[in-house]
Amino acid sequence: MTPDVISAAGLRLDLAGVVATVTLDRPEVRNAQTPAMWRALAAIGDSLGEEIRIVVVRGAGHSFSAGLDRRMLDPDDPADDVETVAGLLSLPDDQVSATIDDYQRGFTWLRDPRFVSIAAVQGYAIGAGFQLALSCDLRVVADDAQFCMKESALGLVPDLTGTKPLVESVGYARALEICATARMVGAAEAVHIGLALTAVPPDELDPTIADLVAALTAALPGAVSETKALLLGAAHRDLEEQRRLERQAQIRRFRELA
């Protein structure tokens, strides 16, 4: 995917050594998301080379992402050649499912064990914005951050892969309460309940991310990716299966180091 296509989708991709930074770059609408953006995110994930060890996702301006661009729900607003969420209503169920699956791929690549993904969250992370942050392995937030799973207030459900990491972060009961009430979760609460690693003043967000990136890249890359793969599925495996996978991973590490 060319830089022009990425830019047209409202994104920016910056590569610096082993670090890829993906910026939602529509600050005039608080980085509201569109289907074109989701498809571009998936394409970015497919394009990253094996050398990438860290992916940082952030928003331009003062917000991470205010969620879905509301024009995408209005079939009469965007131009005819713009893909909208409202356009799904005219499709049969199997095509709707396949299209949403394509959209979800814009989020799932951030869980790839090849790298560690970090969401740098400032201001609003609403709906799709919340789910994008949840798709990352780690979340570092400014102390003005506000999370909200807005979908229930619109009569919808979170369908961009956010439900699983939310439950894994805060537990079923708290996840249900956050989703069903569509309330705001501030930065301090996000840290307290396990949604975020830490909250810092906005002007300290960039240096805090830089320090975290430095710490994560200090270890040999294979050790981090193998550990991430082990941890990703640990909750759903029994001890014997986890032990077996640990042994296999360690053998690969021994062989590589030798």
Side-chain angles (χ1 to χ4, degrees):
M1 178 169 281
T2 67
D4 287 346
V5 174
I6 292 173
S7 177
L11 297 169
R12 189 170 70 246
L13 173 64
D14 299 294
L15 303 175
V18 299
V19 181
T21 300
V22 180
T23 303
L24 280 64
D25 197 17
R26 303 183 71 209
E28 69 282 1
V29 289
R30 294 187 299 187
N31 302 313
Q33 299 180 32
T34 66
M37 183 181 285
W38 300 332
R39 293 187 184 277
L41 282 168
I44 287 172
D46 290 340
S47 73
L48 295 180
E50 292 294 327
E51 74 280 4
I52 297 300
R53 296 179 59 185
I54 303 291
V55 175
V56 178
V57 181
R58 62 189 320 128
H62 299 295
S63 281
F64 183 74
S65 173
L68 177 67
D69 188 327
R70 291 297 184 90
R71 294 180 306 155
M72 299 297 103
L73 294 173
D74 183 353
D76 299 321
D77 190 353
D80 291 340
D81 59 347
V82 174
E83 182 179 8
T84 68
V85 174
L88 296 175
L89 299 177
S90 64
L91 301 177
D93 287 358
D94 60 338
Q95 291 185 35
V96 174
S97 179
T99 302
I100 295 175
D101 180 66
D102 288 342
Y103 297 164
Q104 290 172 332
R105 294 178 192 278
F107 296 70
T108 54
W109 67 274
L110 290 161
R111 300 176 175 89
D112 193 314
R114 291 183 300 142
F115 47 74
V116 176
S117 54
I118 306 168
V121 180
Q122 181 175 352
Y124 291 114
I126 308 296
F130 192 1
Q131 293 184 79
L132 184 60
L134 284 166
S135 296
C136 295
D137 299 309
L138 308 173
R139 286 162 292 283
V140 176
V141 305
D143 55 18
D144 65 349
Q146 293 282 336
F147 296 96
C148 177
M149 203 67 86
K150 195 72 172 177
E151 283 78 2
S152 66
L154 302 174
L156 303 172
V157 300
D159 66 343
L160 295 171
T161 78
T163 55
K164 179 177 172 62
L166 183 60
V167 170
E168 290 172 344
S169 296
V170 305
Y172 162 75
R174 180 63 70 196
L176 176 60
E177 182 263 336
I178 288 171
C179 291
T181 64
R183 70 173 178 87
M184 292 287 188
V185 177
E189 183 183 0
V191 174
H192 178 69
I193 64 178
L195 271 177
L197 291 178
T198 189
V200 298
D203 61 356
E204 294 180 19
L205 186 59
D206 286 349
T208 300
I209 293 291
D211 288 346
L212 180 58
V213 168
L216 288 169
T217 54
L220 292 176
V224 176
S225 60
E226 289 276 16
T227 300
K228 177 176 172 177
L230 284 169
L231 295 174
L232 274 172
H236 307 289
R237 302 185 192 114
D238 62 30
L239 180 58
E240 290 305 307
E241 176 68 2
Q242 188 74 2
R243 289 174 59 225
R244 181 184 67 80
L245 293 174
E246 288 176 357
R247 295 194 299 269
Q248 292 177 347
Q250 195 72 303
I251 290 169
R252 289 191 292 271
R253 298 307 305 140
F254 285 153
R255 298 295 179 242
E256 182 175 329
L257 293 173

